[in-house]
Amino acid sequence: MPSDHAPPHPPVLAFEAVRVVTDDGVELLHGVDAVVRRGRVTVLAGPSGAGKSTLLRLGNRLEVPSAGTVRFHDRDAAELDPRDLRRRVGMVFQRPVVFAGTVRDNLLVADATASEEQMVAALVRVGLDREFLDRTADDLSGGEAQRLCVARALLTRPEVLLMDEPTSALDPVNRRGVEDLARDLAGDGIGVLWVSHDLDQVRRLADDVVVMVDGRNATAEEAARFLAGDADVDGARGEEDP
Amino acid sequence: MNETAIGWGGLAASLVLIAVAVALSGWQRLHLSRSIVWACTRAAAQLFVVGFALKLVLDPDAPVAWAYVWVVVMVAVAGITIRNRAREVPGIWALGTLAMATVVVVSLAVILGLGMFPAEGRTIVPLAGMMVGNSMTASVLVGRRIVGELGDKRDEVEARLALGHSWPDASRPYVRSALRTALVPQIESTKAVGLVFLPGAMTGLVLAGADAADAVTIQLAIMYLILGSVATSITVIGLGLTRRLFTDDHRLRRVVRSTG
């Protein structure tokens, strides 16, 4: 039972001084700290090439840190079964990745035992409906496909959702729709870690912001300049990369 | 000289068509004349050396162990050949050699164990050669296809991993596709045998004066063994290579892509 003094948004996923060095000796992350809290949208912001996606991939162990620790509920993620961790820390990629077959086939990849009602509930949760179940996944629009990817991730009942610039390939209407969806999911208690270098999106979406520059946490001054749109720090734009 | 030997005169006669090929190359300015001559010279040198060695191994008085030594060398050379043809595939030398060794052990166990042919140099060497030769091509193909599929579909594989799939589950659709691609040509070749072409063993037997019915049964048995050998080799490569491309904690390694 949580105590009366338990924080309302406890940390679920934490990155502690994580470094990533590639096999050829290139250091991509130089000791980054970040925390994802239950029921909050944490936006990982920074210019392109700052290492945001690399940090995100550490969250469900598609990458492993060369040094430092990723903690899931205070446990070192390295001690957990990666398959269990990945089902509790879902991931949505920059470009929607749909598998061959129907929407139903795609949802069954996430949970082969999912009932019809569970699949419909997941679709409805992301703004799609039962009619989509038998649609060919390849025929979905970009926005629909990205929603399907979120629905698929939700079927594993994650506590954290990692979203790697999930709206970069979407038009403005769908972009706002997926942002609203992320806010709703946070409202349901899921911790969301969202990567973006779009300052307008950061302002619309973030409960918490972690700014990265050159593979490290930005200093307070750099973060302030980045969030103020100082192009010398960030190259920030109102729109995302095409 | 028996009637199946063509002698030096017969060999020289076959060069007439090489002269035609060289003439065509010159006429069409293909700049392949030297390559054709070099290929023919090299083939002759290789086959004379191999023929001399084979004569020792196939001598009825030679110990059968020589034939097994020959097969071991054949497997080693096949492993190197596979590596040379698929350099972008990590660990392919060891896997290819293992696959060829598996093919030889399984096929010879069936051939000799079930008494299809006697355990003699004249049976062991050519049969093992046919199994290894056909399996080698399929092994190269499946190795390249698996690396290509997992590289091209990296997004999909990682999306499956991110949903909590194990590496065998995440890779299965793509590895299955590669295995099918490697096996289908052999299946098609088995289907077309007799209709489109007469395979080597049967042609050799007929040329050597064997009864056509005997040639057919031997050729059929060999075709079946080759199909089984190809399936065995691509399975060994498929399982071994896929395992190698993932880490113990179910991450897809950076797959080197061919630039060729």
Side-chain angles (χ1 to χ4, degrees), chain B residues 80-96:
Chain B
I80 293 168
T81 306
I82 292 171
R83 192 267 319 266
N84 289 344
R85 287 198 210 159
R87 286 185 183 275
E88 76 275 26
V89 180
I92 192 64
W93 173 77
L95 273 173

Side-chain angles (χ1 to χ4, degrees), chain A residues 57 60-64 82-83 86-87 91 93 97-99 109-110 152 156, chain B residues 154-166 174 248-251 254:
Chain A
R57 287 166 62 84
N60 77 347
R61 215 165 144 182
L62 286 177
E63 304 279 352
V64 290
R83 289 168 297 174
R86 287 169 186 160
R87 294 184 74 78
M91 185 143 179
F93 295 84
V97 180
V98 295
F99 308 127
V109 171
R152 204 170 56 194
T156 67
Chain B
R154 187 178 187 92
D155 286 354
E156 290 188 26
V157 176
E158 289 202 323
R160 289 176 189 270
L161 293 172
L163 290 167
H165 284 212
S166 63
Y174 316 102
D248 290 342
D249 58 351
H250 308 274
R251 287 180 292 119
R254 292 283 159 200

Side-chain angles (χ1 to χ4, degrees), chain B residues 198 202 205-206 210-223:
Chain B
L198 290 180
M202 187 169 161
L205 285 164
V206 170
D211 179 74
D214 289 344
V216 164
T217 50
I218 289 174
Q219 183 60 56
L220 268 180
I222 289 173
M223 291 292 292

Side-chain angles (χ1 to χ4, degrees), chain B residues 12-36:
Chain B
S14 69
L15 290 176
V16 170
L17 285 176
I18 297 303
V20 171
V22 169
L24 286 173
S25 171
W27 177 42
Q28 292 293 317
R29 297 181 184 173
L30 302 179
H31 304 294
L32 288 175
S33 302
R34 287 179 62 174
S35 291
I36 292 170

